[in-house]
Amino acid sequence: MKKHFKLQDLDCANCAAKMEDAIRKLPGVNSATVSFMTQKLTLDADDARFDEILQEAVKICKKVEPDCTILVK
């Protein structure tokens, strides 16, 4: 399953790269892209575990940049 999420308060391109790298290493993730320019996360992950993987991605973003939020609808 592939979904796009808006990022709020992502202030640094280097942080975006760190987040992307860490999210890609999560089990069940097929691909992940964090774009500093568009302030978006594109996550392609295992359908059965998507919500669990998304929660881990949220934790990673908070760890790398505490002010950044993934807007999950």
Side-chain angles (χ1 to χ4, degrees):
M1 176 185 307
K2 188 176 201 174
K3 287 191 177 181
H4 306 277
F5 300 94
K6 184 87 176 116
L7 298 172
Q8 188 173 335
D9 298 328
L10 177 60
D11 298 330
C12 161
N14 189 39
C15 294
K18 286 180 184 177
M19 289 177 197
E20 183 177 298
D21 193 43
I23 293 169
R24 283 183 178 167
K25 292 178 181 174
L26 289 172
V29 173
N30 300 322
S31 70
T33 307
V34 178
S35 173
F36 174 68
M37 292 300 288
T38 61
Q39 299 278 303
K40 286 188 180 171
L41 161 67
T42 302
L43 181 62
D44 183 6
D46 183 25
D47 291 359
R49 296 185 50 231
F50 193 87
D51 291 335
E52 179 186 331
I53 291 167
L54 180 58
Q55 291 310 309
E56 288 299 315
V58 168
K59 289 178 190 173
I60 287 169
C61 287
K62 284 288 181 196
K63 187 176 179 183
V64 173
E65 189 166 323
D67 293 338
C68 182
T69 329
I70 298 175
L71 301 177
V72 180
K73 297 173 188 160

